[in-house]
Amino acid sequence: MVFAALESIHADYLVREYGSRRNLKGMNVHDQFMVEIAKWLCLHPRVFIFSDPYTVYDNLSEYHFGRLLEYLQELDISILLISSSEENLSKFCTRVIST
């Protein structure tokens, strides 16, 4: 199940890299993020909410974040991105709502 979830977001390399470890201590931020997403995918979600990802996961490159969003969309998962930066939202979103 874990492998399938990681594979669906093109992060199955993590099983090879960390599969024999007893814990994931020392894992870089990008890989931690991918594991968090994969764990969440195991629950069969319909909507994924990113709450200000640029402040929480600032080590994740814009390219990798964009690719991750593409992978989730390929799985027919709706994405809600909440951010205080309208500039960042316009890079990734098809619709932006400002309040």
Side-chain angles (χ1 to χ4, degrees):
M1 189 160 142
V2 171
F3 184 77
L6 287 168
E7 187 176 45
S8 70
I9 57 172
H10 303 265
D12 48 315
Y13 66 91
L14 292 172
V15 173
R16 291 185 296 279
E17 191 169 332
Y18 297 101
S20 62
R21 291 187 179 187
R22 294 187 68 181
N23 63 50
L24 302 178
K25 196 172 198 168
M27 180 183 273
N28 69 51
V29 173
H30 176 268
D31 291 348
Q32 288 176 22
F33 188 60
M34 300 307 273
V35 168
E36 287 178 37
I37 301 287
K39 288 188 325 188
W40 178 82
L41 287 172
C42 291
L43 302 174
H44 304 288
R46 293 177 186 254
V47 176
F48 195 100
I49 300 171
F50 286 99
S51 181
D52 216 355
Y54 301 102
T55 58
V56 178
Y57 301 106
D58 56 355
N59 289 328
L60 192 64
S61 72
E62 191 173 297
Y63 169 79
H64 284 109
F65 185 69
R67 295 289 295 177
L68 177 61
L69 294 178
E70 289 174 19
Y71 301 150
L72 293 173
Q73 287 174 329
E74 289 170 5
L75 296 170
D76 291 326
I77 295 171
S78 297
I79 301 164
L80 174 62
L81 185 61
I82 301 169
S83 177
S84 57
S85 170
E86 197 166 323
E87 178 186 339
N88 286 332
L89 290 174
S90 64
K91 291 178 189 176
F92 299 106
C93 299
T94 55
R95 283 182 266 166
V96 176
I97 299 171
S98 298
T99 58

